[in-house]
């Protein structure tokens, strides 16, 4: 069950990050001196790149190991989040958020689900899938709250920097995940 916590955490930060910047758009526009169209490319690019890569990175998990892909994805997600959080312009924000972070997010999403099926059997698996799905639903609601909190009291950049901390916790927790033989 400890593995479920860390697999769900991996999923949660990916989904939260999908909506965390939406509430910060006016601040990002001002801070990076850019247009709404450019910011929309960043936000839409994140979701588009994840969707585009899901099947490919799932296959990579089959070939090279799902746990390895999860850990690599989590590392990329943290690097992308940090890069986006220090972005001096919208181009670097795009590279960090919509490219590096999205590649890591796709790896995390597919691997966490595949590893979940390996961790649990029977009724426990059904319960684990229920928890995983509930976390996904809740995370979609939490993103704007997290983004609003950090944007209001700190900076929109902290909405991304917190991902680095959460990703490191998820990476450390991967020790509890049993990889298939």
């Amino acid at each position: 069950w400890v593995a479920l916590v860390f697999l769900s955490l991996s999923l949660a930060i990916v989904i939260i990050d999908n909506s965390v910047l939406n509430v910060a758009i006016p601040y990002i526009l001002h801070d990076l001196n850019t247009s709404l169209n450019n910011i929309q490319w960043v936000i839409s690019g994140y979701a588009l790149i994840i969707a585009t890569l899901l099947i490919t990175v799932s296959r990579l998990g089959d070939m090279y190991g799902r746990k390895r892909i999860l850990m690599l994805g989590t590392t990329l997600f943290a690097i992308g989040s940090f890069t986006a959080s220090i972005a001096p312009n919208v181009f670097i924000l795009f590279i960090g958020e919509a490219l590096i972070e999205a590649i890591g997010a796709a790896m995390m999403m597919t691997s966490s689900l595949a590893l979940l099926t390996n961790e649990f059997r029977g009724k426990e698996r059904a319960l684990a899938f229920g928890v995983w799905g509930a976390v996904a639903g809740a995370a979609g609601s939490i993103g704007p709250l997290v983004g609003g909190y950090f944007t209001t009291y700190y900076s929109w950049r902290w909405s991304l920097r917190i991902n680095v901390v959460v990703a490191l916790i998820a990476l450390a927790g991967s020790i509890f995940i049993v990889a298939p033989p």
Side-chain angles (χ1 to χ4, degrees):
W1 292 105
V2 174
L4 177 61
V5 170
F6 292 105
L7 290 170
S8 295
L9 184 61
S10 296
L11 174 68
I13 61 171
V14 168
I15 293 175
I16 288 170
D17 196 68
N18 194 36
S19 61
V20 78
L21 290 183
N22 289 336
V23 296
I25 290 173
Y27 298 92
I28 299 169
L29 290 171
H30 180 266
D31 198 27
L32 298 183
N33 193 29
T34 190
S35 70
L36 184 59
N37 286 340
N38 288 337
I39 297 303
Q40 192 59 45
W41 270 107
V42 173
I43 293 170
S44 297
Y46 177 79
L48 182 62
I49 289 172
I50 290 172
T52 303
L53 293 177
L54 284 175
I55 293 172
T56 303
V57 297
S58 181
R59 179 66 180 132
L60 290 175
D62 293 341
M63 293 169 49
Y64 299 108
R66 295 173 183 125
K67 184 175 177 179
R68 182 177 291 155
I69 295 298
L70 176 71
M71 293 172 72
L72 177 60
T74 306
T75 303
L76 285 173
F77 189 85
I79 291 168
S81 291
F82 182 74
T83 301
S85 79
I86 61 169
N89 56 52
V90 74
F91 178 73
I92 300 300
L93 181 65
F94 183 88
I95 296 298
E97 174 79 8
L99 188 61
I100 299 169
E101 194 175 318
I103 293 168
M107 295 171 125
M108 292 166 68
M109 287 180 72
T110 59
S111 298
S112 66
L113 183 58
L115 287 165
L116 192 69
T117 61
N118 187 65
E119 292 284 332
F120 298 96
R121 301 277 180 256
K123 288 184 179 184
E124 286 183 342
R125 182 182 284 175
L127 180 59
F129 273 112
V131 169
W132 195 82
V135 165
S141 301
I142 293 171
L145 295 173
V146 170
Y149 176 81
F150 283 113
T151 300
T152 300
Y153 297 107
Y154 300 100
S155 165
W156 64 269
R157 295 175 183 278
W158 280 101
S159 298
L160 297 166
R161 289 180 186 146
I162 195 68
N163 289 343
V164 176
V165 175
V166 175
L168 291 174
I169 292 168
L171 198 56
S174 67
I175 194 168
F176 296 105
I177 300 168
V178 178

